[in-house]
């Protein structure tokens, strides 16, 4: 569920198609769903808006749809939507055969991990570059849940984050930005507190694309990299960590330049797969079996 002043019906339809493709990567013959509410998540009228939204969605939420977090969403916002119609988030699963043991909330499913999307991004990179990512130089566009998760998971595999951008601009350090340092500096909305970092170089936001790196992870908003930005990209490998981070013109240009692009339907699929697997099995998979299967689908 996306909460943004810019969200449109066409964007929600595209997100739903993308979700269906993500689930297909993991062998699920089911459709993906997305929802959107055009609002500012900080609007003081938000409780009223969520109640109206919940009532409008009551029929699908009671019969065949489970909604989770996307851009702008919080757990509290989703809880409020479901409270409006008096059912738990996992009502659809609980009401089906063998669903009685499924918890009421997505975040309580067995195997729920921190930085799940980042884990899928890291596995997608390994599928292309090999298991050892030691000293792989990485730039990350956006430092919200996707960007921060990618930084954490790639760093754990030996990669080195040399540049990060947020709404305020680009932060770069050729010797590498430590992941603990970055996560401590992460603020609301993915903004990075410059004063909490050690020595670094600051530049305008699009300067990130010109940094000498082996990998660029797109973790900002949808269609945030157009043809102009694509012309500046130095990294030979680009991963769409966010939902369709590239415009079609940018994708075509990178293809012409022979820059390898790992698409969102693969790189951004791990958390969707985790939820779908546990919903399908009534929360019956062990954490090891769950994540072994997801890793195999992404790397295979």
């Amino acid at each position: 569920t996306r909460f943004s002043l810019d969200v449109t019906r066409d964007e929600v339809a595209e997100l739903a198609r993308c979700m269906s493709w993500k689930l297909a990567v993991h062998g699920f013959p089911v459709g993906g769903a997305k929802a959107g509410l055009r609002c500012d998540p900080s609007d003081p009228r938000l409780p009223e808006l969520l109640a109206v939204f919940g009532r409008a969605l009551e029929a699908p939420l009671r019969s065949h749809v489970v909604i989770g977090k996307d851009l702008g969403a919080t757990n509290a916002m989703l809880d409020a939507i479901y409270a409006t119609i008096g059912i738990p988030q996992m009502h659809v699963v609980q009401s089906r055969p063998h669903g009685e043991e499924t918890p009421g909330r997505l975040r309580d499913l067995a195997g729920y991990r921190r930085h799940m999307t980042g884990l899928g991004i890291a596995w997608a990179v390994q599928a292309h570059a090999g298991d050892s990512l030691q000293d792989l130089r990485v730039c990350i566009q956006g430092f919200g849940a996707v960007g921060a998760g990618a930084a954490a998971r790639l760093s754990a595999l030996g990669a080195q984050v040399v540049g990060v951008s947020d709404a305020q601009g680009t932060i770069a350090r050729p010797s590498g930005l430590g992941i603990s340092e970055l996560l401590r500096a992460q603020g609301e909305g993915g903004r990075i507190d410059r004063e909490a970092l050690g020595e670094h170089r600051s530049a305008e936001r699009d300067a990130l694309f010109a940094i000498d790196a082996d990998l660029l992870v797109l973790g900002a908003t949808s269609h945030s990299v157009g043809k102009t930005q694509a012309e500046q990209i130095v990294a030979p490998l680009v991963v769409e960590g966010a939902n369709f981070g590239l415009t079609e013109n940018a994708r075509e240009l990178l293809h012409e330049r022979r820059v390898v692009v790992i698409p969102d339907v693969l790189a951004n699929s791990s958390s969707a797969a985790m939820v779908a697997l546990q919903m399908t099995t009534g929360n019956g998979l062990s954490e090891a079996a769950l994540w072994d299967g997801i890793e195999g689908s992404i790397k295979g």
Side-chain angles (χ1 to χ4, degrees), residues 6-238:
D6 302 321
V7 70
T8 65
R9 179 183 292 271
D10 287 345
E11 183 180 21
V12 171
E14 189 174 4
L15 287 164
R17 285 193 296 271
C18 186
M19 179 64 79
S20 296
W21 296 334
K22 288 179 193 178
L23 296 180
V25 167
H26 296 271
F28 294 110
V30 297
K34 284 281 185 171
L37 178 62
R38 192 178 302 153
C39 71
D40 183 341
S42 63
D43 192 317
R45 300 171 300 160
L46 188 64
E48 177 186 347
L49 295 172
L50 293 176
V52 172
F53 193 52
R55 288 193 291 270
L57 295 179
E58 182 168 3
L61 293 183
R62 285 187 178 277
S63 62
H64 62 283
V65 171
V66 176
I67 57 173
K69 289 190 296 183
D70 199 275
L71 182 70
T74 65
N75 288 327
M77 290 162 69
L78 294 182
D79 290 345
I81 290 171
Y82 278 97
T84 296
I85 57 176
I87 60 173
Q89 188 179 27
M90 300 295 283
H91 166 79
V92 170
V93 181
Q94 291 178 333
S95 63
R96 280 161 169 68
H98 313 297
E100 299 86 354
E101 299 303 317
T102 305
R105 304 181 304 186
L106 282 173
R107 58 189 181 273
D108 293 330
L109 288 169
Y112 210 90
R113 290 182 175 180
R114 192 180 183 203
H115 302 318
M116 289 191 295
T117 301
L119 185 58
I121 291 169
W123 283 336
V125 173
Q126 284 185 309
H128 174 76
D131 286 344
S132 176
L133 303 184
Q134 195 66 37
D135 299 326
L136 188 82
R137 293 167 59 80
V138 180
C139 284
I140 299 177
Q141 180 214 27
F143 210 69
V146 173
R153 293 297 186 174
L154 289 165
S155 294
L157 294 172
Q160 187 178 61
V161 179
V162 295
V164 176
S165 69
D166 63 5
Q168 303 170 87
T170 290
I171 298 165
R173 185 188 296 159
S175 61
L177 293 155
I179 185 59
S180 297
E181 179 184 18
L182 282 170
L183 292 178
R184 281 197 304 270
Q186 183 188 23
E188 186 177 349
R191 292 179 180 270
I192 299 172
D193 180 1
R194 272 63 173 167
E195 294 183 2
L197 295 175
E199 185 178 348
H200 63 275
R201 177 171 60 85
S202 294
E204 53 93 19
R205 189 163 51 183
D206 284 358
L208 179 82
F209 304 123
I211 294 175
D212 182 22
D214 305 303
L215 167 66
L216 170 65
V217 176
L218 305 181
T221 57
S222 300
H223 296 155
S224 59
V225 175
K227 187 175 181 180
T228 300
Q229 290 81 16
E231 289 171 342
Q232 303 173 49
I233 291 174
V234 171
L237 175 63
V238 174

